[in-house]
């Protein structure tokens, strides 16, 4: 899990244009999965719900389907 955390942090802090939504949606998904792996249900639900909302607002059908599969 430490490697996953480090990879997520590298992605989050990597230089990119402001408003790069594809990076933001992936970060929400990855952070939700990591929170679930840590057993942090509160953080998991928060990231999952934000991920679902973002996927829906952007109309990203693949992410919408993945988000709906997250309990």
């Amino acid at each position: 899990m430490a490697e996953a955390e480090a990879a997520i942090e590298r992605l989050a802090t990597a230089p990119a244009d402001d408003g790069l939504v594809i990076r933001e949606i992936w970060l929400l998904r990855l952070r939700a999965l990591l929170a679930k792996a840590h057993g942090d249900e509160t953080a998991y639900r928060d990231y999952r719900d934000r991920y679902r909302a973002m996927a829906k607002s952007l109309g990203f059908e693949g992410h919408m389907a993945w988000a709906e599969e997250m309990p």
Side-chain angles (χ1 to χ4, degrees):
M1 280 199 277
E3 288 181 35
E5 289 171 350
I8 292 168
E9 269 311 301
R10 283 193 305 275
L11 178 61
T13 60
D17 294 332
D18 288 338
L20 188 61
V21 296
I22 195 68
R23 178 170 82 169
E24 296 306 314
I25 199 165
W26 274 107
L27 283 171
L28 286 172
R29 177 173 173 73
L30 293 172
R31 286 179 172 148
L33 295 172
L34 190 60
K36 184 74 166 171
H38 278 293
D40 186 343
E41 288 298 317
T42 302
Y44 170 73
R45 284 190 304 272
D46 177 58
Y47 285 125
R48 179 204 59 201
D49 293 348
R50 290 170 49 202
Y51 174 58
R52 283 181 178 166
M54 185 177 210
K56 186 175 181 177
S57 73
L58 295 170
F60 287 3
E61 293 177 6
H63 282 283
M64 289 166 54
W66 285 339
E68 288 305 314
E69 292 175 1
M70 298 171 83

